[in-house]
Amino acid sequence: MPSVLWWGRFDPAYSRNRILRKLFASLGWQVRDFHPRFAGVADWEARLSRLPRPDLVWVPCFRQRDLAAAARWAQRHRVPLVFDPLISAYDKQVDERAKLSADSARAKHLLGWERNLFQRASRVIADTPAHANYFADVLGVPRQQLAVVYVGAEEALFKPQPQPAREPGDPLELLFYGSFIPLQGPQVVVEAARLYRGPPVNWVLLGQGPLRAECETQARGLANVRFENWLPYETLPARIHQADILLGVFGATPKAGRVIPNKVFQSLACGRPVITRSADAYPAVLSAAGHSGLVWIPAGNAQSLADRVSALATNPGELPLLGDAAAMSSQHYFSESVVRQQLQAALAGLTA
């Protein structure tokens, strides 16, 4: 049985990690963990503890800080190393948050540091084809070292359920959930609620994050907007099933066009229509489909979101068909079986 060593100070309960670790096991891999005390000198800690040599080293998402030491140790032991970043630190600071100007010395240093890190991996995993292009074009990863593995959703938790039973005239419920960051565009949701003209609906924004207080201020006086606090992960599917329509992401940043967020995978798997911004991250055939369960609007366009909601609320009988289409899209493009095949392809030829 081949073994994979998950290296770093990562969160094994994070949904991306949960799914991939389960899929590794289903592919016949023994999954072992190494959680070093200090990321920068973790290779020395591994040497002193005489860490057994695996067949593969895996550095999980968000753990750029663990990559250099993992690469040194993997190279010393002639073991392939795979990095699954999900995000780029440079992209986050320069393009997403605009904390650094691309022309600044700090941004150039950050880019050089991250380019060097990414190029030390035997393979870099991207969560969408658009992200793979970014890793190649901006971070200099050779395309033959890139592989795409979608995030997906845990099918044991996120399962299709019928639309909630509502009496004629009852308001539909629109559910946005997330961490209230610019990529998600929660302000667009509140502005859409202010612009909305149509049958009664309730707009629910669930979660915590940097933009929540701003959104709460923006929503003052809107009786049909409600905020809810974050829920335990295991109870999230039941909350999704209570809603009629799920709201994806609406940010206009470049990064927002490169990602398919967890909530979209999870909502589709639950059989709920999703309104979200159009993006190159999705399979082209799905983006072009007229009846996929995904309803597209331009990035950052609150009026378009309000209009789409009004059209759906005016014809609620379409929602069960859209929900069925959402579940079918999830199963065809993003199921655990699809992600498993992508992971298997990404690992091909890498074992030590």
Side-chain angles (χ1 to χ4, degrees), residues 184-193 203 218 250-251 297 300-302 305:
Q184 297 170 352
Q187 319 97 305
V188 178
V189 176
V190 178
E191 180 62 18
W203 305 72
Q218 183 185 0
F250 307 98
I297 68 163
N301 193 319
L305 175 56

Side-chain angles (χ1 to χ4, degrees), residues 17 19 41 52 86 124 176 243 249 260 328:
N17 295 334
I19 291 171
V41 293
L86 272 193
V124 174
F176 168 97
V249 298
I260 304 176
M328 290 180 64

Side-chain angles (χ1 to χ4, degrees), residues 111-283:
L111 178 60
W113 171 78
E114 193 165 42
R115 283 175 63 95
N116 177 266
L117 278 181
F118 273 57
Q119 293 174 38
R120 296 182 71 173
S122 308
R123 187 146 298 160
V124 174
I125 306 297
D127 58 313
T128 67
H131 249 151
N133 289 335
Y134 182 88
F135 295 159
D137 297 340
V138 178
L139 300 182
V141 181
R143 290 192 179 270
Q144 66 271 19
Q145 292 175 213
L146 285 162
V148 174
V149 179
Y150 287 128
V151 171
E154 291 186 80
E155 293 176 356
L157 287 173
F158 298 91
K159 302 176 182 179
Q161 292 287 346
Q163 291 287 130
R166 303 204 187 278
E167 296 295 327
D170 284 352
L172 299 179
E173 182 179 89
L174 312 164
L175 176 63
F176 168 97
Y177 67 90
S179 51
F180 285 78
I181 58 177
L183 179 149
Q184 297 170 352
Q187 319 97 305
V188 178
V189 176
V190 178
E191 180 62 18
R194 186 173 296 279
L195 295 171
Y196 179 75
R197 301 293 182 270
V201 297
N202 291 322
W203 305 72
V204 179
L205 292 90
L206 183 155
Q208 304 287 347
L211 294 176
R212 172 152 169 174
E214 177 183 330
C215 289
E216 289 177 326
T217 299
Q218 183 185 0
R220 286 176 184 168
L222 296 177
N224 61 340
V225 176
R226 184 173 80 250
F227 292 84
E228 296 181 0
N229 292 328
W230 196 241
L231 297 169
Y233 177 73
E234 290 74 13
T235 67
L236 184 56
R239 184 63 187 88
I240 293 173
H241 291 146
Q242 292 176 27
D244 299 277
I245 301 168
L246 271 291
L247 302 177
V249 298
F250 307 98
T253 62
K255 180 176 171 58
R258 290 193 284 269
V259 302
I260 304 176
N262 285 338
K263 64 158 81 181
V264 170
F265 291 114
Q266 294 162 350
S267 300
L268 292 175
C270 284
R272 289 295 178 270
V274 179
I275 307 176
T276 194
R277 60 153 287 174
S278 57
D280 292 337
Y282 294 82

